């Protein structure tokens, strides 16, 4: 029997809004799917911050369209101006497997760290959330299978939440957004499992720090940067092929 789709109840209260940081990577796509599953009307922000390539920007556009978000903004912020990161400074090579460490021992923060990136991103998201009267800001930071970036740790998120409560009118009035980090304590395999279960369009995501452009302008992952290796290990642990490579 064929049934008609259920129509929205005009008397139902509107869904709460959330700002979702959407990078084009797998973590942010899963984070978006989790926000939608939690019942939020999702308004996504993708930052063009001077990164080496635009491939992740195009991925974010496709994900936002495919997941039917309420709105999607591309925001330019020049984090290449300070320099200091292989992701924004073309004079620095992206570290690959087998490369000698660039900054002392491997336990130190890698050259792919972009100084203050999540601080800047969250500050903008906080302003946007106040304008939208959003109740949440979703960000896909992870502190388990990651590159050791200081702005992906729970301590940083907790500190920024305190800032959010003090620095905005919404926060002072007790209606400021909660910064939600549903992936922060998950392994990559667990993140991918959640993404598959929530139909997070992982096939449209990209993680490579240094993709190669083929002759037909189709990007190909390098396969040896840290982001590629972490992603590959996550899917291998889960025991499923990476849908972006099939």
């Amino acid at each position: 029997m064929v049934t008609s789709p259920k129509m929205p109840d005009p008397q139902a209260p509107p869904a709460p809004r959330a700002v979702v940081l959407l990078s084009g990577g797998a973590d942010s796509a899963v984070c978006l799917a989790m926000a939608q599953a939690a019942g939020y009307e999702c308004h996504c922000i993708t930052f063009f911050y001077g990164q080496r390539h635009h491939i992740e920007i195009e991925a974010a556009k496709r994900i936002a369209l495919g997941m039917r978000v309420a709105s999607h903004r591309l925001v330019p912020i020049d984090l290449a101006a300070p320099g200091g990161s292989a992701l924004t400074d073309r004079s620095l090579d992206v570290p690959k497997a087998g490369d000698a460490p660039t900054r002392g021992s491997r336990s130190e923060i890698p050259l792919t760290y972009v100084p203050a990136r999540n601080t800047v991103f969250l500050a903008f998201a906080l302003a946007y959330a106040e304008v939208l009267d959003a109740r949440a800001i979703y960000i896909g930071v992870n502190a388990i299978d990651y590159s050791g970036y200081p702005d992906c740790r729970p301590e940083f998120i907790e500190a920024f939440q305190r800032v959010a409560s003090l620095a905005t009118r919404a926060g002072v009035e007790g209606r400021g957004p909660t910064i939600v980090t549903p992936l922060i304590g998950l392994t990559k395999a667990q993140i991918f499992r959640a993404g598959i279960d929530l139909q997070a369009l992982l096939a449209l995501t990209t993680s490579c720090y240094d993709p190669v452009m083929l002759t037909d302008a189709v990007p190909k992952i390098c396969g040896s940067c840290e982001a590629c290796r972490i992603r590959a290990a996550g899917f291998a642990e889960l025991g499923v092929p990476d849908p972006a490579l099939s």
Side-chain angles (χ1 to χ4, degrees), residues 124-144:
F124 191 99
L126 181 60
Y128 191 36
E130 184 160 27
V131 171
L132 290 175
D133 195 25
R135 291 293 178 261
I137 297 172
Y138 273 73
I139 180 171
V141 293
N142 177 258
I144 304 298

Side-chain angles (χ1 to χ4, degrees), residues 4-5 18 21 26 34 47 58 113 116 124 133 135 143 147 152 160-161 186 202 233 236 244 246:
S4 299
L21 276 65
M34 288 180 166
F47 294 99
E58 297 305 314
Y113 162 67
F124 191 99
D133 195 25
R135 291 293 178 261
S147 300
C152 289
F160 198 93
Q161 182 69 72
L186 302 183
L202 293 174
S246 59

